[in-house]
Amino acid sequence: MALLGCDANNKEPEHQALVLPKHLNTPHVSDQVTAAGLVLVLWDDGGGCKLQVGKAKATIWMKPMASCYFMKSPGSSQVQVYQHNKTTSIVAVVGTPVKGQRCGQEVQGLVLKNGTATPSAYVMQGSVHCADQGLQNFQYDLFAK
């Protein structure tokens, strides 16, 4: 079995080198929605995912890494909002990117109640989820616990 390797003398000319886009070093918005009367903004801040609620200066760090996105209803550009009970709604944030557009291996819920947004203690891990595919109701119930 022959092994082939790269020869230092066989380099491609530098003018043909692949130029990768620069990663934004400054915090920037990756997604935003309005749900349960709250304006929710996700920020990519140095590879971390932060949540801003309304015009508040304070932000909340989410468990999934950036870039992070809100789960959308399948076949729609609208955020998927799960009505847990009469006073509580839940939206989900997908992050810790993997191969695929707006896909990640971690999903965390945001429990929306009484004008506040609280990240769930439970984080789904180990499977790939994509923002445009949404979640099942039983998965949203896990975030409410």
Side-chain angles (χ1 to χ4, degrees), residues 38-98:
L38 296 172
V39 175
L40 306 171
V41 181
L42 294 175
W43 290 83
D44 179 339
D45 188 350
C49 179
K50 288 197 310 190
L51 171 72
Q52 179 181 5
V53 180
K55 296 183 187 234
K57 296 261 189 226
T59 53
I60 301 165
W61 288 100
M62 302 292 293
K63 172 75 171 111
M65 298 301 292
S67 293
C68 52
Y69 307 97
F70 291 105
M71 283 289 191
K72 308 291 187 217
S73 294
S76 167
S77 61
Q78 299 297 314
V79 66
Q80 189 176 38
V81 180
Y82 174 71
Q83 195 66 41
H84 180 64
N85 57 35
K86 290 182 181 180
T87 61
T88 306
S89 300
I90 302 171
V91 296
V93 175
V94 62
T96 310
V98 294

Side-chain angles (χ1 to χ4, degrees), residues 16-24:
Q16 291 181 353
L18 177 64
V19 179
L20 297 174
K22 291 184 180 179
H23 180 69
L24 297 174

Side-chain angles (χ1 to χ4, degrees), residues 1-47:
M1 180 184 305
L3 293 177
L4 299 176
C6 294
D7 186 322
N9 297 329
N10 243 356
K11 287 185 179 176
E12 288 186 18
E14 286 190 34
H15 67 276
Q16 291 181 353
L18 177 64
V19 179
L20 297 174
K22 291 184 180 179
H23 180 69
L24 297 174
N25 291 328
T26 57
H28 60 279
V29 173
S30 61
D31 204 358
Q32 61 185 18
V33 298
T34 300
L38 296 172
V39 175
L40 306 171
V41 181
L42 294 175
W43 290 83
D44 179 339
D45 188 350

Side-chain angles (χ1 to χ4, degrees), residues 91-132:
V91 296
V93 175
V94 62
T96 310
V98 294
K99 194 173 189 175
Q101 188 176 13
R102 298 169 61 98
C103 297
Q105 58 187 356
E106 291 185 309
V107 181
Q108 186 172 20
L110 281 174
V111 180
L112 310 176
K113 185 175 183 173
N114 299 328
T116 63
T118 307
S120 65
Y122 175 73
V123 178
M124 288 192 304
Q125 297 174 312
S127 296
V128 174
H129 297 275
C130 296
D132 62 352

